[in-house]
Amino acid sequence: MERDIPKTYDQKTEDDIYRVWELSGYFNPDNLKGDPFTIILPPPNANGSLHVGHALYCLEDIMIRYQRMRGKKTLWLPGADHAGFETQVVFEKKLEKEGRSRFKMTREDFYKEVYEFTQKNKGVMIGQLKRLGFSLDWSREKFTLDPKVVEVVYQTFKKLFDDGLVYRASRIVNWCTKHQTTLSDLEVVYEERIDPLYYIKYGPFTLATVRPETKFGDTAVALNPEDPRAIDYAGKEIDVKGLLGDFQMTVIVDELVDKGFGTGVVKVTPAHDAVDFEVWQKHANEIPGPISIIDQFGKMDLSSFGDNPQAARYHGLKVAEARKLVAEDLQKAGLIEKIDENYKHNVAVCYKCKNVIEPRVMPQWFVKIKPLAEPAIQAVKEEKIKIIPERHQKIYMHWMENIRDWNISRQIWWGIPIPAYYCTDCGEVMVDIDKQPEACVKCKSKNITKDTDTFDTWFSSGQWPYASLKANSEEDFKAYYPTSVMETGWDILFFWVARMIMLGLYATKEIPFHTVYLHGLVRDKDRQKMSKSKGNVIDPLGVIDQYGADALRMALVVGNTPGNDIVISEEKIRGYRNFSNKVWNASRFVIQNTYDFDPFHSELSLDEEVILKQMDAIVEQVTEMMETYDFAHAAETLYHYFWHTFADKIIEESKSKLASTDPQTRGSAQAMLLIMLKTNLKMLHPFMPFVTESIWQLMDKNLLMVTEWPITRKMYEKQKRAN
């Protein structure tokens, strides 16, 4: 009897389908056989709901579903990131709206509130990931602040400390005056600005600077060794007239001085400029050390000049105010030769608040990165780790070969506390991951204080592949590490991927993953980056409610080649909703016309054999694309083959045979259509899991998600030879 099947696909059934998948237990590799295939989900920040960029996780789901159908023991481990600084910024904005401030809270109360905030968001995100059809093993879900994860992070830190690869030192760092914390070099962005360039008289020289207010922290004047003036002045002291009185300054020579900037002479202010700090380190025996004259809030601090009345004139002013006043006073004193009002230059700003970064010299924790970078470079050179697309391998190499020590401490309240302690009597630094030391290991004093800083989020998330597995069990770590693929955005190749490779190799002596797949950023139809301020953000759940998860997944995959940004629009998503309906309707037709299929009358005609051989070529082509991570072309190939060849041509041409009263004619057409439908559904399943599983359940009691991937005789023979 003909099946009664709804005429259109109802995406409201997607929740029911997902529930069936979960209850089946096949998301858990413990219920599967075969060789392991592992992906660790890049943990989304637990400070808000997911955006359309997170829907690109569908690339990982495609890999997992494909490998599961290829008979692999697949593990896709989910998690969420506490995202230290990012989350603290989000939560402080929330407090501001409520008329509150963390500075009026205890650290413990603040931490407790943020923890509850992240746990609530984490629950929302899990629901969103399920709506997208992601076949994650929820029994292994982890949070970067889970005690066992923190334990692994502490073990790595202690090992680095014991091996002399992590140290605490007063170095120049990037300081955000708004958020009151240091930032890594990667968290600093540069904006092109136009500012006045002041040409200041400095004894026998005139030098150019955009920051006249920092002259109170100058410790030297510098020339390039190739500058002719270096012969007469190198190592000598010059007399200089200043706003706080006359003073003397040593002249040094250094190749870091840009001969083409200004007059070729520069002032050295090591407390407030990274290059100047580097110059001072090289000439520490010749010139004084850093003199800090700007405080943590971005205000002038000239208290070191005592009761100098002129110093009091600038003390306490914000930097911008002081710059203006100092420039005016220099002009009045006849110490400015000229001003270039249209000097174009790049200014370092905080990537979150866009406030100008104020470099400061302060004690911080640093990782000696070059010893970690060397094996990470070799792993990629020796192709133990493959980066897709290949062009990003060169970018990776360039960055790794020019890497600098990594500041891993942050002055924030939310995150993993650094397990370090200090003796206030002798200054000894101690690291203990179990408890606070009772006495100093050096002088035996009991005056011990705890470090109040937290780890940079990237330090803990840089350990995510092995930390998340170890946090579940040592058995999981042994079974699933190294992982198979790390799929993430190209924009965090340095922030995260490189650090995972370095820390993974250091802590485990093995690579963390075999393949790095870098996707592009999601942009709107005008190729603009999506942002709330532009009003072009697409809500993934709203799209799913309207068009279904499969339509969004296909829209994100087709045209999305590795490393290139992807354009997404509602029109594109709507187009793939139409494809979902096409798959449903074509399948409905085949099912309704094969209800009386009799295998006895199924001998294929020569024409039908040719059609199936042509489909075999598609199977081989798509399989090769899947194996080489060419998902964009695999999805596009399946789209065109199903719609234009199978549905529009083959089904249409088979209608006369299906209407035949000859059992053999009708039966052979039915056999061919059933073979083709099932083969197409299998290949489409990783891309469009919901509609394909819904159709499959109309024909087969077994789940499509664990049905074997189609394999042709040619593929079988090739596989047999390989084994």
Side-chain angles (χ1 to χ4, degrees), residues 656-670:
S656 60
K657 292 183 179 181
L658 292 172
S660 174
T661 56
D662 176 30
Q664 177 57 41
T665 302
R666 177 174 167 81
S668 65
Q670 289 176 321

Side-chain angles (χ1 to χ4, degrees), residues 118-129:
T118 58
Q119 295 310 294
K120 183 179 178 182
N121 286 324
K122 191 157 72 76
V124 172
M125 290 194 311
I126 288 172
Q128 292 176 311
L129 293 169

